[in-house]
């Protein structure tokens, strides 16, 4: 129990204050969780009798404040589960206290019950307007006070359950979205995710004026791999490639995806042509180091891949389709030139233009 003022012996409450009652604040199992109440009351005897009654009713922690400023400090520091608030207080009055409490917990809610000697309709109106949830006129019968506490607690528990359910729902939704965009075999982003991310990265790169690279990779002679090792080993091989591509995508925004079958696509934001070539070399090197055996490749004993790259600073005419078409064209050229190599669409174009001159 926190006693900020008048820590001396609690005086016997006058008859006009709260009479003890047998009413218990807790009844069900759910209500046995700790529950704290902040009592804001300037009259020491009234405060003491309230504290006694709350403890008697089963409230686990009772905090006390004799004025508004102390009440606000306690409210912010100790986050009570409920506030019992007098209106006539030295300095800041109860209305002001309730108002500031509400302002200090945006998006959150702590039940506030006014407990006052003021009993006109206007007083009740002002109490609720300033942020109170209920209004009791003193003297209050203990059984009524405890009943009100229970009702407020029920609302509070319900609200907490709703918040936790909505957080769980949010998490489940997030997982579902991730699953919808995940390729089950490799764990990479699937075609659906690829389409969404590429579209978003084109917009971002256009806005920022930064280069965006798209790389399409295709395993060489993978049909022969399947034919000689079987589809189960073929699947294992695709998983190993997926892992390797994830590893080579070191920057947080780089995305490795399974475009389809044995074809993969890498989205590399803020990557110019030179960076794309560095990336391609790193990927080729990693693949050579891994040396995944290919028992029936005309190119050698290990698995190789070919890649087509396109890099641009997107403008209004750039679309996901146009980027995929360019990367695909470069990939086709890499395959046609003998496989196990990367071609850049733009560099091919440069070369052709140079030849034309
Ligand atoms: N195991 C397995 N194989 C797949 C999967 N998806 C596609 N493939 C196989 O990948 C092979 C692709 O064959 P092709 O398109 O002829 O290409 P390739 O044999 O790699 O020849 P190039 O690309 O020209 O080097 C086919 O045998 C497909 O069955 C998959 O999920 N698992």
């Amino acid at each position: 129990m926190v006693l900020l003022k008048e820590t001396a012996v609690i005086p016997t409450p006058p008859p006009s204050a709260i009479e003890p009652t047998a009413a218990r604040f807790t009844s069900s199992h759910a209500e046995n969780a700790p529950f704290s109440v902040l009592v804001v009351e300037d009259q020491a005897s009234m405060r003491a009798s309230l504290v006694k009654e709350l403890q008697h009713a089963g409230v686990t922690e009772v905090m006390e404040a004799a004025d508004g400023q102390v009440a606000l400090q306690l409210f912010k520091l100790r986050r009570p589960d409920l506030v019992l608030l007098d209106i006539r207080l030295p300095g800041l009055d109860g209305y002001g206290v309730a108002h500031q409490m509400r302002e200090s917990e945006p998006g959150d809610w702590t039940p506030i019950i006014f407990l006052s000697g003021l009993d006109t309709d206007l007083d009740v109106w002002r109490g609720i307007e300033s942020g109170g949830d209920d209004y009791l006129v003193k003297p209050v019968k203990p059984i009524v006070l405890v009943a009100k506490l229970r009702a407020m607690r029920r609302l509070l528990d319900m609200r907490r359950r709703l918040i936790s359910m909505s957080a769980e729902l949010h998490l489940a939704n997030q997982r579902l979205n991730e699953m919808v965009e995940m390729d089950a075999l490799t764990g990479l982003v699937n075609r659906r995710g690829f389409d969404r991310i590429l579209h978003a990265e084109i917009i971002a790169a256009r806005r920022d004026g930064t280069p965006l690279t798209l790389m399409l990779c295709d395993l060489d002679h993978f049909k022969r791999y399947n034919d000689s090792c079987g589809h189960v080993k073929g699947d294992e091989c695709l998983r190993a490639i997926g892992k390797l591509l994830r590893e080579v995508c070191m920057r947080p925004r780089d995305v490795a995806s399974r475009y389809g079958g044995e074809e993969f696509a890498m989205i590399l934001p803020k990557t110019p042509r030179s960076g794309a070539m560095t990336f391609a070399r790193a990927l080729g090197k990693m693949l050579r180091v891994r040396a995944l055996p290919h028992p029936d490749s005309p190119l050698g004993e290990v698995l190789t891949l070919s890649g087509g790259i396109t890099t641009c600073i997107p403008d209004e005419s750039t679309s996901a389709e146009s980027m995929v078409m360019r990367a695909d064209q470069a990939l086709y050229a890499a395959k046609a030139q003998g496989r196990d190599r990367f071609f850049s669409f733009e560099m091919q174009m440069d070369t052709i233009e140079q030849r034309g001159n």
Side-chain angles (χ1 to χ4, degrees):
M1 185 176 78
V2 180
L3 192 60
L4 285 175
K5 235 179 165 183
E6 297 165 56
T7 46
V9 181
I10 296 171
T12 316
S16 62
I18 295 240
E19 298 285 340
T21 173
R24 295 287 295 168
F25 170 62
T26 54
S27 64
S28 69
H29 173 71
E31 288 172 345
N32 279 331
F35 193 81
S36 59
V37 175
L38 169 61
V39 176
V40 190
E41 168 63 63
D42 60 333
Q43 281 182 44
S45 59
M46 176 60 86
R47 201 170 62 241
S49 63
L50 278 168
V51 170
K52 202 170 161 197
E53 180 55 35
L54 291 172
Q55 288 170 339
H56 181 72
V59 171
T60 28
E61 187 186 6
V62 185
M63 302 165 225
E64 296 178 52
D67 64 56
Q69 289 307 337
V70 173
L72 284 170
Q73 278 175 23
L74 273 176
F75 184 81
K76 287 173 196 165
L77 279 173
R78 305 285 298 277
R79 309 301 309 178
D81 293 308
L82 185 143
V83 180
L84 282 181
L85 183 55
D86 191 14
I87 291 175
R88 280 183 297 213
L89 294 166
L92 188 65
D93 68 12
Y95 302 127
V97 173
H99 187 73
Q100 289 195 30
M101 282 178 174
R102 287 287 174 246
E103 280 197 333
S104 73
E105 54 169 15
D108 212 344
W109 176 66
T110 306
I112 298 174
I113 301 178
F114 277 107
L115 203 58
S116 169
L118 303 172
D119 61 356
T120 68
D121 293 348
L122 192 63
D123 295 321
V124 177
W125 173 261
R126 287 188 67 194
I128 301 301
E129 274 298 289
S130 66
D133 300 296
D134 205 344
Y135 193 107
L136 297 173
V137 178
K138 288 189 250 183
V140 182
K141 289 201 177 75
I143 193 159
V144 173
L145 177 67
V146 175
K148 293 285 183 181
L149 284 189
R150 287 192 63 180
M152 281 299 161
R153 183 179 197 177
R154 217 174 277 161
L155 287 177
L156 191 64
D157 288 347
M158 216 177 324
R159 182 176 189 274
R160 283 175 180 162
R161 270 202 302 277
L162 273 176
I163 288 172
S164 115
M165 272 165 64
S166 107
E168 278 169 26
L169 207 65
H170 180 73
L171 212 67
N173 254 331
Q174 230 173 7
R175 285 206 197 110
L176 208 65
N177 279 338
E178 281 164 15
M179 278 165 66
V180 163
E181 291 195 349
M182 197 184 83
D183 171 57
L185 180 71
T186 60
L188 296 181
V189 168
N190 64 14
R191 176 65 187 273
R192 186 191 180 112
F194 166 82
D195 287 343
R196 180 185 60 77
I197 296 167
L198 180 59
H199 185 71
E201 289 297 356
I202 288 174
I203 292 172
R206 186 187 299 149
R207 189 190 52 224
D208 302 341
T210 51
L212 175 66
T213 288
L214 171 67
M215 180 183 288
L216 284 183
C217 297
D218 187 287
L219 301 184
D220 294 328
H221 298 297
F222 196 58
K223 185 174 178 325
R224 283 166 172 249
Y225 187 99
N226 270 329
D227 290 346
S228 60
C229 305
H231 266 79
V232 173
K233 285 274 176 212
D235 283 356
E236 271 173 30
C237 178
L238 290 174
R239 265 196 290 270
I241 293 293
K243 185 164 174 280
L244 187 142
L245 293 179
R246 246 197 316 271
E247 284 167 18
V248 83
C249 284
M250 304 234 274
R251 293 189 190 165
R253 264 172 69 187
D254 290 352
V255 170
S257 67
R258 188 173 177 207
Y259 190 74
E262 24 74 82
E263 211 171 348
F264 298 86
M266 255 69 67
I267 303 169
L268 310 173
K270 296 191 178 165
T271 306
R273 279 183 211 173
S274 57
M277 283 304 162
T278 308
F279 184 94
R281 271 193 291 275
L283 173 53
K285 190 174 170 197
M286 231 162 150
L287 195 61
R288 278 194 299 280
V289 170
R290 284 296 146 88
L292 302 167
H294 188 322
D296 189 29
S297 170
L299 300 172
E301 290 177 353
V302 295
L303 191 82
T304 57
L305 57 78
S306 304
I309 303 167
T310 182
T311 303
C312 65
I313 298 175
D315 58 23
E316 289 309 315
S317 67
T318 311
S319 65
E321 292 73 26
S322 66
M323 284 197 78
V324 170
M325 258 168 61
R326 289 202 294 266
D328 203 33
Q329 207 169 311
L331 172 62
Y332 185 83
K335 289 275 183 190
Q337 295 284 321
R339 300 180 175 81
D340 191 18
R341 67 199 64 206
F342 288 88
F343 263 37
S344 156
F345 175 86
E346 287 75 20
M347 288 185 188
Q348 282 184 77
M349 294 300 113
D350 289 350
T351 313
I352 289 163
E353 277 165 26
Q354 277 163 18
R355 278 201 211 112
N357 289 336

